[in-house]
Amino acid sequence: MLARFSALRSFPRLVVVPVRHTSSKVEGSVAQSKEFSKKEAAHENEYVHRHDLELLAKLKAEIEKKQQELDELHKVESELKKQQ
């Protein structure tokens, strides 16, 4: 009887693995869909727009600083002309 049980244990067990079936025929079809592309483009455009706004704010601050320096130089120039 012991031999019969050991013989049953030596056979490999059959394993059933479910297979997923998709409606798309191409791998990564979600990334290639039009809606995903539109959403991704919108996010990219938003990022670029925010980045441009940050650059413009920095440039405006720099222009304002340079304008103040220029005004001070004009003031010094006018004072020098008065002294002559």
Side-chain angles (χ1 to χ4, degrees):
M1 182 149 173
L2 183 59
R4 190 170 80 169
F5 285 124
S6 62
L8 288 176
R9 288 186 183 168
S10 64
F11 292 115
R13 294 185 181 185
L14 180 63
V15 178
V16 178
V17 178
V19 177
R20 289 189 313 156
H21 295 285
T22 61
S23 61
S24 64
K25 295 180 181 178
V26 178
E27 282 293 321
S29 64
V30 173
Q32 294 175 354
S33 71
K34 290 181 182 177
E35 294 302 317
F36 185 81
S37 297
K38 286 180 183 178
K39 184 177 179 181
E40 199 64 27
H43 283 295
E44 186 175 340
N45 289 340
E46 182 181 0
Y47 171 79
V48 169
H49 181 70
R50 287 182 189 214
H51 183 69
D52 287 346
L53 288 177
E54 289 174 7
L55 289 177
L56 283 173
K58 287 179 183 179
L59 288 173
K60 285 180 181 179
E62 194 174 318
I63 289 172
E64 186 176 318
K65 183 179 175 184
K66 294 294 182 182
Q67 186 65 43
Q68 288 175 355
E69 290 176 12
L70 185 63
D71 291 341
E72 287 179 22
L73 289 173
H74 283 301
K75 188 185 267 186
V76 170
E77 180 188 20
S78 65
E79 289 175 5
L80 287 174
K81 284 184 179 180
K82 286 179 185 178
Q83 289 177 356
Q84 291 178 352

